[in-house]
Amino acid sequence: PPPPPPPPPFFFHAEDGIRDQPRSRWLGDVYKRQVYCYPKPAQQPHPPVLLGGNAPNVLQRVARWGDGWLPNRVTPGQVEEGRKILDTLAVERGRDPASLSISVFGQPTDTTRQQVDDFLNAGAVRVSAWPAHCETEAEMGEQLERMAETLVR
């Protein structure tokens, strides 16, 4: 089996305290930080921790420390494969696979409803499409209307 992943970054440790304490302190080998967070999160026990990326070990980090995977610009096939890997890793770590979500991020403006459905059928729980840069507010409004017509209505 592969070696265990390294300890989580200081944020994962400090984050535990910032939800219910005025400040949280992390005294590690490299970092020594005091972390503040206001207002306190309304979600309990905490807002979901979504880890993004497509690095080879990102799914191991998600299964160990996160609440979900936030891949950027992937295909439905990659989501389906990621879902299978996450399910296996979750079971290996004693976690419920259903507790790990997949939220596809950064799909292009011309994403279709069929493509969104393909992602959802592959195991994603949400898909975000990213509007392209526009020079004017009117152009952005037109683009968002087209996206809404294609994806929502």
Side-chain angles (χ1 to χ4, degrees):
F10 82 92
F11 176 78
F12 286 102
H13 294 291
E15 191 252 1
D16 286 337
I18 63 175
R19 290 188 296 268
D20 54 7
Q21 300 172 20
R23 64 180 159 215
S24 181
R25 176 178 286 213
W26 167 251
L27 301 173
D29 296 334
V30 177
Y31 296 105
K32 293 172 179 31
R33 299 279 191 263
Q34 287 197 26
V35 181
Y36 303 86
C37 175
Y38 295 99
K40 298 297 182 195
Q43 292 170 296
Q44 296 298 323
H46 58 79
V49 176
L50 304 179
L51 302 176
N54 299 322
N57 61 354
V58 69
L59 298 176
Q60 291 180 23
R61 290 192 300 265
V62 170
R64 183 163 181 184
W65 301 306
D67 298 310
W69 179 36
L70 187 67
N72 185 8
R73 299 185 183 186
V74 292
T75 66
Q78 290 169 305
V79 169
E80 187 172 16
E81 181 64 23
R83 178 78 265 167
K84 290 175 187 174
I85 294 169
L86 271 179
D87 290 351
T88 300
L89 292 171
V91 169
E92 288 174 0
R93 287 163 177 75
R95 296 186 67 182
D96 177 6
S99 72
L100 302 175
S101 67
I102 299 176
S103 302
V104 177
F105 180 74
Q107 292 307 113
T109 305
D110 60 354
T111 299
T112 66
R113 183 65 214 188
Q114 182 59 54
Q115 289 169 315
V116 170
D117 289 341
D118 291 345
F119 280 114
L120 298 175
N121 291 331
V125 296
R126 68 187 61 81
V127 178
S128 73
W130 199 256
H133 173 76
C134 294
E135 295 295 329
T136 68
E137 186 176 326
E139 288 175 334
M140 179 59 76
E142 291 168 8
Q143 180 178 195
L144 292 174
E145 282 295 326
R146 283 191 307 273
M147 291 172 72
E149 190 66 38
T150 300
L151 299 172
V152 180
R153 296 180 183 145

